[in-house]
Amino acid sequence: MELLSQMWSLLGLLTILQNILPSQLLALLHSTWQSLQDSLTPYSYFDVPEFLGSSAVEPNDLYRHVHLYLHQSLICSAAASSAPPRLTLSLPCGSLAAPSLSISPNHSLEDSFAGQRLLWTHHADTLQDSLEERRTYSLRLPKRASASLLGPYLAHLSGAADHLERSSRPRRLFTNSPRGVTPSWFSVPFRHPATFATLALEPAMKVSILADLEAFADGREFYCRTGRAWKRGYLLHGPPGSGKSSLIAAMANHLHYDVYDLELTRVANNSDLRSLLIQTNNRSVIVIEDIDCSLDLTGDRRGTGKSTEARMRTMRRRRQPSLDNEGTDSEDDDVGGRGNDGRVTLSGLLNFIDGLWSCCGEERVIVFTTNYVEAFDPALLRPGRMDVHVRLGACGAHAMRELVERYVGLRDHEMVAVAEGFIRAGAEMTPAEVAEVLLRDREEPEEAVRSLVAELRARVVGGAGREEEEEESGRAWSWEESPEKAGGKRRRAGWEKKVRFLRRLRSLTKSDSESRGV
């Protein structure tokens, strides 16, 4: 009782002094007491507030990194069945993700780094005469190691938080909208199931692409040191059904990037193209599929075959604009450039992927796909624009085995070895064609493999006759040829058949005449 009375007397004295002494003296006494505590304690303390400054307007990016890092640490500690501190669970309205974990206010969580024990404490103070809270994370480090430990630890923390943010954030699939005056993107959730584990690729190609993507994603320091824009260009070319779109989805899923599917036919001019580029986010895959069908990629370099007089006439007409708006899509749209006022030009596309405007963001992968790489202008194919060229063709033996195992569950079957033999003998089927054959009889695995072997055998043994039948019916043409060339090839084949028939008829007539002694 005597001790309690002395404590109450001391508290009363402190209250009286607080009311009597001036505020400046009280602040001096408080700072002196804090300095005395700091000199006696073996720890150093670092505060990470939620906002920069006192206005609570500019967020502190380091606070977000600490929150994500501790969230991951809490998940790991829960998985290890250790006793975590008091936690706060939160789930945003309408979210499909799992509830997030965070340290409850005025509780702490231990961490270790480089053999040292660190302590994070979450402070949440309610502002006076307000319902708002001012949240802060406080880091406690051993004082003797704080100078050498703080920098590496914060770099480790930011890297782990960056990886967690990249892997956990919901990703979107964007496409450009033709509606409205200003070009814009609209999006849907990106949930494509393709991954590198499900792709039917040859092992060497898969390893090479994965290594290149990993080097790109971890190359921030390299790109800063070399003065290069942090982007990577991929050109995927091959016949239809060879897996170009699936490879793009697998790349986006592996990197955890958003996907921007750019439809060039919806872009009015180069200015709109630049506007769309500025609106894209970092960590994204920008895809232009079947670019040979969307833009004349040789027009700027090789011209359209117009005479010099026609070019001069076009230039004179541009200097004298007409009173109406008719004829905007006529042949005077810009020789070789497809109209710099009404169309996207090759030079505009080059500036989009490799010019000054391409630096308006970072960590972007630009992917072009085509069936006819020969139609590309050489300026578009050079390194720095299209850095990696990936040729996707017919299904190889290893890819075929993967597809058979994945679709029907067979791997070490004698018919699979027979199918491999036909592929090595020259039978060609794209992964999409192999998958379609297996899908027909996926409930009967052995029958599905027999159907695949029969199809491969037909493409080896009866390949010539089958091509003749397909040419007659007009159903098939080589992916390396345009439909017009294929049509000409079919017409020539028809004439060759007629000539062979006449020669055979003549030989039969001649032999019949000789037999009668004529």
Side-chain angles (χ1 to χ4, degrees):
M1 291 295 294
E2 184 178 355
L3 180 62
L4 288 175
S5 62
Q6 290 178 355
M7 290 181 59
W8 281 113
S9 300
L10 180 61
L11 290 175
L13 178 61
L14 290 176
T15 304
I16 294 172
L17 291 176
Q18 186 175 4
N19 293 328
I20 295 176
L21 296 177
S23 58
Q24 294 84 353
L25 182 58
L26 289 174
L28 179 61
L29 291 174
H30 183 267
S31 62
T32 303
W33 175 250
Q34 289 289 345
S35 300
L36 181 61
Q37 281 186 323
D38 293 342
S39 62
L40 296 177
T41 183
Y43 299 105
S44 295
Y45 293 87
F46 301 89
D47 292 335
V48 183
E50 185 178 8
F51 296 96
L52 301 177
S54 58
S55 58
V57 173
E58 184 178 359
N60 186 358
D61 204 40
L62 183 57
Y63 180 90
R64 180 175 56 85
H65 287 177
V66 172
H67 183 79
L68 290 171
Y69 175 77
L70 295 181
H71 167 78
Q72 180 65 29
S73 299
L74 290 170
I75 293 177
C76 294
S77 62
S81 299
S82 61
R86 182 182 293 271
L87 305 179
T88 299
L89 294 172
S90 59
L91 181 65
C93 181
S95 176
L96 300 178
S100 62
L101 299 172
S102 61
I103 305 175
S104 296
N106 303 318
H107 285 76
S108 302
L109 176 68
E110 284 192 357
D111 193 15
S112 60
F113 181 77
Q116 300 288 341
R117 295 179 62 185
L118 302 85
L119 185 70
W120 283 102
T121 304
H122 183 207
H123 300 286
D125 301 324
T126 304
L127 300 179
Q128 189 175 4
D129 300 330
S130 175
L131 297 178
E132 296 182 1
E133 284 187 338
R134 186 62 57 86
R135 290 179 287 270
T136 304
Y137 280 109
S138 177
L139 172 63
R140 191 189 74 180
L141 291 174
K143 185 179 293 185
R144 64 182 182 276
S146 60
S148 59
L149 193 65
L150 182 61
Y153 178 67
L154 291 180
H156 161 73
L157 180 147
S158 296
D162 186 68
H163 176 74
L164 176 63
E165 184 180 31
R166 182 189 306 177
S167 60
S168 62
R169 69 187 180 94
R171 289 172 295 116
R172 309 286 296 179
L173 172 62
F174 295 82
T175 187
N176 51 310
S177 171
R179 301 187 298 270
V181 178
T182 304
S184 60
W185 300 95
F186 67 93
S187 66
V188 296
F190 180 71
R191 300 192 181 99
H192 199 289
T195 64
F196 278 95
T198 63
L199 282 182
L201 287 178
E202 295 303 314
M205 180 182 292
K206 185 181 295 187
V207 170
S208 176
I209 295 175
L210 281 172
D212 188 79
L213 292 175
E214 291 290 343
F216 170 77
D218 299 332
R220 178 189 293 273
E221 294 182 1
F222 168 79
Y223 283 92
C224 290
R225 186 175 69 251
T226 57
R228 293 170 60 97
W230 194 4
K231 63 181 181 60
R232 192 74 168 158
Y234 278 79
L235 174 64
L236 311 183
H237 59 98
S242 55
K244 297 185 288 295
S245 298
S246 297
L247 178 56
I248 293 171
M251 293 167 63
N253 285 328
H254 181 74
L255 295 172
H256 303 284
Y257 285 3
D258 291 327
V259 179
Y260 288 83
D261 186 12
L262 178 61
E263 181 59 56
L264 284 179
T265 57
R266 295 180 178 179
V267 183
N269 48 46
N270 294 336
S271 298
D272 287 352
L273 185 62
R274 289 193 294 268
S275 178
L276 288 170
L277 175 64
I278 294 173
Q279 296 175 44
T280 59
N281 298 321
N282 296 337
R283 294 175 183 163
S284 58
V285 179
I286 302 175
V287 182
I288 305 178
E289 292 194 278
D290 298 324
I291 188 172
D292 51 299
C293 302
S294 304
L295 184 66
D296 184 3
L297 298 180
T298 60
D300 288 352
R301 303 280 176 175
R302 303 174 188 173
T304 57
K306 290 186 176 182
S307 63
T308 304
E309 183 180 354
R311 292 188 179 96
M312 295 301 295
R313 185 170 62 252
T314 300
M315 294 174 66
R316 285 196 299 269
R317 289 184 180 179
R318 285 182 182 167
R319 294 192 187 101
Q320 300 174 357
S322 59
L323 298 178
D324 54 21
N325 293 327
E326 295 180 358
T328 54
D329 292 330
S330 67
E331 63 177 358
D332 299 328
D333 266 349
D334 181 23
V335 177
R338 305 278 288 188
N340 55 7
D341 293 329
R343 297 287 181 87
V344 175
T345 64
L346 175 59
S347 60
L349 185 63
L350 294 179
N351 194 33
F352 174 86
I353 63 174
D354 192 35
L356 295 176
W357 288 95
S358 66
C359 302
C360 299
E362 60 182 17
E363 206 169 350
R364 289 194 178 107
V365 176
I366 302 174
V367 183
F368 286 178
T369 71
T370 182
N371 296 336
Y372 310 102
V373 69
E374 297 81 6
F376 274 39
D377 191 287
L380 189 62
L381 297 176
R382 72 164 177 81
R385 289 168 180 164
M386 293 295 103
D387 305 294
V388 182
H389 295 209
V390 180
R391 171 70 167 86
L392 299 173
C395 200
H398 183 275
M400 185 273 299
R401 272 190 175 272
E402 283 192 351
L403 287 173
V404 170
E405 182 179 13
R406 194 169 299 128
Y407 277 75
V408 297
L410 294 180
R411 185 171 182 86
D412 298 326
H413 193 275
E414 58 181 6
M415 296 303 291
V416 177
V418 175
E420 281 188 358
F422 284 120
I423 288 178
R424 294 190 177 95
E428 292 188 355
M429 292 181 69
T430 63
E433 292 173 330
V434 173
E436 180 59 30
V437 172
L438 296 174
L439 275 173
R440 295 172 192 163
D441 301 303
R442 61 183 181 274
E443 301 298 333
E444 300 179 5
E446 293 191 0
E447 183 63 27
V449 177
R450 289 194 187 94
S451 299
L452 177 61
V453 169
E455 182 67 25
L456 290 170
R457 181 190 293 114
R459 299 200 178 198
V460 173
V461 179
R466 189 169 179 226
E467 286 178 5
E468 237 177 68
E469 293 176 2
E470 290 178 346
E471 285 178 359
E472 288 177 358
S473 61
R475 289 184 291 106
W477 50 277
S478 172
W479 69 273
E480 296 178 347
E481 298 174 342
S482 63
E484 291 79 5
K485 290 183 179 179
K489 192 173 181 180
R490 288 195 295 270
R491 288 192 293 272
R492 289 194 300 272
W495 279 106
E496 290 173 359
K497 284 184 179 181
K498 292 179 180 179
V499 171
R500 287 198 298 269
F501 174 75
L502 292 174
R503 286 178 179 173
R504 186 178 179 185
L505 182 62
R506 181 180 177 185
S507 63
L508 289 173
T509 306
K510 185 176 179 181
S511 60
D512 184 57
S513 300
E514 289 175 353
S515 64
R516 288 183 298 173
V518 178

